[in-house]
Each structure stands twice: as structure tokens, then as C-alpha cells.
Amino acid sequence: MITGGAGFIGSHLVRRMVLRHPEYRIINFDALTYAGNLANLDDVCCRPNYVFVRGDICDMAVVRDTFDRYDIDGVIHLAAESHVDRSIDDPLIFARTNVMGTLTLLEVARRKWAGGSSGCRFHHVSTDEVFGALPAAGGAFDELTRYDPHSPYSASKASSDHFVRAFGDTYGMDTVVTNCTNNYGPYQFPEKLIPLFVNNIRHRRPLPVYGNGENVRDWLFVEDHVQALDKVFHEGRSGESYAIGGRCEVRNIDMVRMLVRLTDAMLGRPAGESESLIRFVTDRAGHDLRYAMDCSKIERELGWKPQTDIEQGLARTVKWYLDNTEWLDDVTSGRYAEYYEKMYGNR
Ligand code: NAD
Ligand code: TYD
């Protein structure tokens, strides 16, 4: 069972697992919130080893029924509320989905696997944001970094990480946790920096850079992340956590300039024309200054490394959004339009 398989990272993971592991039946369990979109999986939805179940991870009866019906023997859990700005607006839904939803899944898995759990694994997909913020220069997070979340989003993810470990320690459940840095690539909802800005450049809308643009993120191409998830699910040591990152630190303002350069070129506009759209706006509350991940453990133990160079990965990503404007228009219209307008329309 892959939870959140209709979202950004989840859809890439479902695609990989369905195509590369025909020996598995992949159950994509997703509530289809604003961030979930079955169109992300158009190319694999007809495969015989793929099943979609629409369900809420907080709904114990539906989760239990799905475990029973499909005899679930492994979970990779991605379903979550995932956007920091939304968590600042509405923290309660983050506690509900990310904490109670994870706990509900764990509890159903524990009961289902009790006594005969050999070979059954619960893999929880988490974020580097649980570790808080690094100073402007020097240092990186790793598996031993103290938890220090600052946003309601990262606090909810930190809590879910703790519950997963607690189920491993208390009930002997086979658990693994991965903490990954910022992902980018096709099918990311255009509320996150990269797809939001590509879409805004396309429409000649302002590009709202929070604060002074000096915040640093460590970027990983989404296909590299799902390759790491596949490795950890199959080869990671039980009870361990694995830090995953791109070894690719970029200041936000530099990322925005790269996006402007690539998008203008692909749209046939004069070089740098869209720089005039950049606006420095009020900073995000509690905005973490810098994230960076030391992913030596997964490199050493599992032989995984990020493969995609940022220039190549960003060029592929920008091209994908510009080639898929129907997808962009679809997810920013209809039932999403009102919220999207409220959050992003006036910037
Ligand atoms: P996303 O917001 O694109 O997708 C989340 C998916 O979860 C959607 O399909 C949504 O419908 C589903 N969902 C939400 N609430 C649900 C519920 N109650 N029941 C069932 N399904 C529900 O998120 P994403 O960016 O793909 O992130 C996936 C996971 O990876 C999250 O757990 C996130 O914390 C983690 N993560 C993301 C990043 C990143 O850069 N995007 C980095 C590290 C870790
Ligand atoms: P985001 O994509 O929301 O990911 P996260 O908050 O999980 O890192 O944001 C990436 C960085 O870009 C973060 O430092 C906040 C910044 N940002 C802006 O400056 N403007 C925006 O409109 C958005 C959405 C993000």
C-alpha cells in the first residue's frame, strides 16, 4: 500500500513500483484532497498490478477494510498535508492528517500484522524540516540531528516520526523512516516555489520572494527520491532512519533567477525579461533559514546517490510544466480556483 499515491512524490513512487515490481500488487490509497490528482497516474492506471482506493487515512474502518481486502503486507506512507504556508493558515488539519492519520495507519497495521508480521514493513516518508533550521553557512542535518521543528507542518511531521519509532520500539513492528530535503519535478502542485513561479512567469504574474531571498534549500529531483525510497523499503535496516538529500544547496533568489532564465528561454522571451516580476514580500512566519542534508549513511549502506544534476533536472521540470499547461490550468481552476486565488492571486 502506498498512501498519498495521487500526490506529487507519491505518483512518481506508484509509477516506479507498478512498472519495476510487477510481482507486487500496488494499492494506491489516497483521499484525493486538493493535492491529489488521478491524472498524475494516467499512464499506469490500467496496469493489472495497480489498484486505486479512495480513502482517508484517518478513517480506521476504511483503512482496516483495505488492509483486509488486499492483505496488505507493506506500507510506504506519504499521505500528508504538505505545504508550510497552509499549515500557518490552518494548523488543525495538519495535526489531524499527519499525526492522527499516521497513528491510525500504524494501529491498523499493528493489529493486522500481530503474530504474523514477518516480512511486513511500515516505511514512513518524512522531511528534513523536522530538524529545524541551520545557520547561514556550515553544517548539515543527519540521522542524529536533534528534532527542532518550527512550523505547524514540521511539528506534525516530527510527531508522526516519533509515533512510527514508538511502534517499532513498543510493538516490535518493522519500521523505517526517511527524511528528505525539498523535491522538485513534474506533477508538483503549483503552490510550492518551483511550479508556482514557472506558472506565474508564464502568466506574467508577480514572483513573491519571501524576505530577502537568502533562505537556502537543498534540492533533489523527485525521481532520485523515489529511487531512494525503493532502496530503503527493500534494503534499509529495520528501526533505522535514513537522511536523503540532493547535496545541492541553492539560495531562493538564485533558484528564482534560474527559473526566470530557463522559462524565458523556453517561452522565446528575451533573456531575463521576467526578472522584473520579482517582488520581495513579507517573510513567511518562522521561515527556516537553511536546510542541508548529509546523506552519507544511505550512500554508504545502500549505495544510493542523487543522480540528477540541478541544471538538467530543472530544465526537464520547466519543460514539463510548459508542455503540460492543461494540467497546470486544471489544478489551478475549478474547485481549486477560489483557494488558489485567495492564497496566490493577490501577489
Ligand atoms: P502532496 O501534497 O503533493 O500529496 C499528498 C497526497 O496525500 C495527496 O495525493 C493527497 O490527496 C493525499 N492525502 C492528503 N490527506 C490525506 C488523507 N487524510 N488520507 C489519504 N490521503 C491524503 O505531497 P508531496 O509533496 O508529494 O509529499 C508526500 C510526502 O513526502 C509527505 O508526507 C511529505 O511530508 C513528504 N515530503 C515531501 C517533500 C517535498 O519536497 N514535497 C520533501 C520531503 C518529504
Ligand atoms: P516551498 O516550495 O513552499 O517548500 P518548503 O517551505 O517546504 O521549503 O518553499 C521553498 C522556499 O521558497 C522556502 O524558503 C519558501 C520560499 N518561497 C518563496 O519565497 N515564495 C513563495 O511564494 C513560496 C511558495 C516559497
Side-chain angles (χ1 to χ4, degrees), residues 92 118 134 178 215 236 239 271 273 330-331:
L92 290 184
S118 145
L134 292 163
T178 46
N215 303 68
E273 187 185 73
D330 187 47
V331 301

Side-chain angles (χ1 to χ4, degrees), residues 43-327:
D43 53 333
V44 291
C45 63
C46 294
R47 296 273 168 164
N49 63 336
Y50 171 77
V51 176
F52 173 68
V53 176
R54 184 170 190 175
D56 182 339
I57 54 168
C58 300
D59 184 338
M60 189 170 272
V62 175
V63 174
R64 198 188 302 121
D65 178 63
T66 308
F67 265 70
D68 288 342
R69 179 170 307 177
Y70 298 105
D71 205 15
I72 300 298
D73 57 5
V75 174
I76 309 184
H77 172 40
L78 296 95
E81 289 292 335
S82 68
H83 190 44
V84 174
D85 293 331
R86 284 179 190 253
S87 81
I88 295 168
D89 263 17
D90 182 8
L92 290 184
I93 180 84
F94 282 71
R96 178 188 181 275
T97 298
N98 299 358
V99 185
M100 288 308 293
T102 302
L103 187 51
T104 304
L105 280 172
L106 283 165
E107 182 60 0
V108 170
R110 171 175 88 84
R111 291 183 191 193
K112 172 82 183 163
W113 297 341
S117 71
S118 145
C120 298
R121 164 160 282 192
F122 192 102
H123 176 166
H124 177 58
V125 177
S126 191
T127 168
D128 59 350
E129 305 196 23
V130 298
F131 300 124
L134 292 163
F141 305 132
D142 65 16
E143 292 79 2
L144 300 176
T145 304
R146 188 173 68 96
Y147 274 51
D148 184 22
H150 296 152
S151 71
Y153 164 65
S154 53
S156 68
K157 292 295 292 187
S159 172
S160 62
D161 292 13
H162 293 321
F163 270 112
V164 173
R165 284 199 189 91
F167 269 61
D169 292 342
T170 306
Y171 305 112
M173 193 186 275
D174 177 348
T175 61
V176 278
V177 176
T178 46
N179 296 90
C180 187
T181 59
N182 286 62
N183 282 216
Y184 69 96
Y187 301 110
Q188 187 168 32
F189 193 80
E191 62 185 353
K192 306 275 168 54
L193 181 75
I194 290 176
L196 176 71
F197 278 31
V198 172
N199 198 32
N200 284 8
I201 295 170
R202 175 181 158 233
H203 291 292
R204 299 184 198 277
R205 287 190 201 130
L207 306 176
V209 176
Y210 298 156
N212 57 13
E214 297 283 326
N215 303 68
V216 172
R217 296 293 181 264
D218 175 351
W219 294 95
L220 178 66
F221 191 58
V222 62
E223 287 176 11
D224 290 348
H225 184 194
V226 302
Q227 188 192 25
L229 296 178
D230 188 342
K231 271 219 167 262
V232 171
F233 180 74
H234 288 102
E235 299 167 37
R237 286 186 290 135
S238 184
E240 295 286 318
S241 70
Y242 292 87
I244 304 172
R247 293 198 182 275
C248 174
E249 291 182 50
V250 185
R251 287 188 316 160
N252 287 347
I253 189 62
D254 296 329
M255 172 59 79
V256 172
R257 294 206 169 106
M258 273 197 266
L259 291 173
V260 164
R261 176 167 51 76
L262 286 166
T263 311
D264 277 350
M266 288 184 204
L267 289 172
R269 294 184 189 165
E273 187 185 73
S274 302
E275 293 242 350
S276 63
L277 299 172
I278 296 174
R279 306 276 184 280
F280 292 94
V281 300
T282 311
D283 208 353
R284 173 187 276 174
H287 196 176
D288 288 333
L289 179 59
R290 178 171 155 260
Y291 301 145
M293 197 61 109
D294 174 356
C295 41
S296 315
K297 177 175 168 180
I298 188 171
E299 289 175 355
R300 194 178 56 245
E301 289 191 10
L302 304 183
W304 174 89
K305 259 191 189 10
Q307 306 281 325
T308 312
D309 157 83
I310 185 79
E311 277 284 341
Q312 270 174 5
L314 265 190
R316 270 178 71 184
T317 301
V318 172
K319 183 170 180 333
W320 187 87
Y321 287 105
L322 296 180
D323 286 347
N324 290 275
T325 50
E326 229 173 85
W327 183 92

